[in-house]
Amino acid sequence: KIPVGTWAHVAVTFNWDDATSTAAAKIYLNGADVTNYTATPSANSLPYNPSLSLGASTLNNYLGISRWGQDTNGFNGTIDDVRRYNRALTATDIHTLNGMAELNKQWTNLDLGDLSAVTANITLPTALGTNGVTARWASSKPALIDTMGVVTRPDMYNKSVTLTATLSQTVGGKMYTMTKTFTAKVMGITPTPD
């Protein structure tokens, strides 16, 4: 869903394949690919080549509203900076357009190393790169790994902890965020029996 009460960058790409006569569609929300492929493997395929309409006269040029009269689910907001391109943009293109190239780079580079057998404190970075990307951490079990990376091993048995980083960057007065999760196994002082 598009967030309420804040600007969001939405991009839709169509990449036409002449061999199959379908267009693969992708939807990006604030730089994240949110295309839903769960219905069927081809749910994102469209049997229509949008480039055939470029420059053509049509009455079906709607943004934020359905072209069918029975639909009442129009967009209740403001749309700004609409662009059309003569090719399907890549994910890198999308990030560059909305100022999220650095945020995406830091999200990609964020790595906590091997978390398969944690026995000591871990480093949870809060500043990433040199262009204002920050990270705020959350833990599914703060008694085992807190938001500063302090590890308290359980007395018995190994325990899994989910660490979630929320990366943020302000670009042009707008704050953009991305989240990334990591699963850590904190080793018990008395480990889980085999």
Side-chain angles (χ1 to χ4, degrees):
K1 287 187 163 186
I2 296 176
V4 176
T6 185
W7 283 102
H9 185 270
V10 178
V12 179
T13 65
F14 297 95
N15 192 10
W16 183 256
D17 183 346
D18 283 325
T20 62
S21 294
T22 59
K26 286 198 170 207
I27 302 170
Y28 295 87
L29 177 59
N30 290 333
D33 182 349
V34 294
T35 309
N36 183 353
Y37 295 103
T38 58
T40 62
S42 61
N44 69 319
S45 295
L46 304 174
Y48 169 70
N49 184 352
S51 67
L52 296 176
S53 304
L54 295 176
S57 176
T58 178
L59 299 176
N60 295 321
N61 293 322
Y62 299 109
L63 288 176
I65 191 168
S66 174
R67 70 181 199 162
W68 292 279
Q70 73 272 16
D71 292 341
T72 58
N73 59 352
F75 176 70
N76 184 15
T78 303
I79 298 175
D80 185 28
D81 196 14
V82 176
R83 302 176 188 188
R84 284 177 65 172
Y85 294 86
N86 63 356
R87 63 180 177 85
L89 300 182
T90 65
T92 301
D93 294 331
I94 302 295
H95 295 132
T96 300
L97 279 175
N98 70 4
M100 291 182 59
E102 180 66 16
L103 183 60
N104 185 62
K105 174 183 169 187
Q106 295 305 328
W107 182 91
T108 300
N109 291 340
L110 181 58
D111 185 2
L112 299 180
D114 183 7
L115 298 175
S116 63
V118 175
T119 58
N121 294 346
I122 58 176
T123 300
L124 300 178
T126 56
L128 304 166
T130 58
N131 293 315
V133 177
T134 60
R136 188 180 76 249
W137 290 90
S139 171
S140 64
K141 296 177 184 166
L144 298 177
I145 302 178
D146 71 15
T147 57
M148 302 297 290
V150 176
V151 173
T152 304
R153 293 174 63 193
D155 290 332
M156 295 191 65
Y157 308 129
N158 308 331
K159 305 282 183 185
S160 291
V161 178
T162 301
L163 298 169
T164 304
T166 301
L167 281 66
S168 303
Q169 183 182 29
T170 301
V171 178
K174 300 174 192 173
M175 179 180 283
Y176 296 97
T177 62
M178 296 177 80
T179 59
K180 189 168 188 176
T181 60
F182 301 87
T183 301
K185 184 194 298 181
V186 180
M187 303 305 287
I189 294 169
T190 301
T192 303
D194 291 333

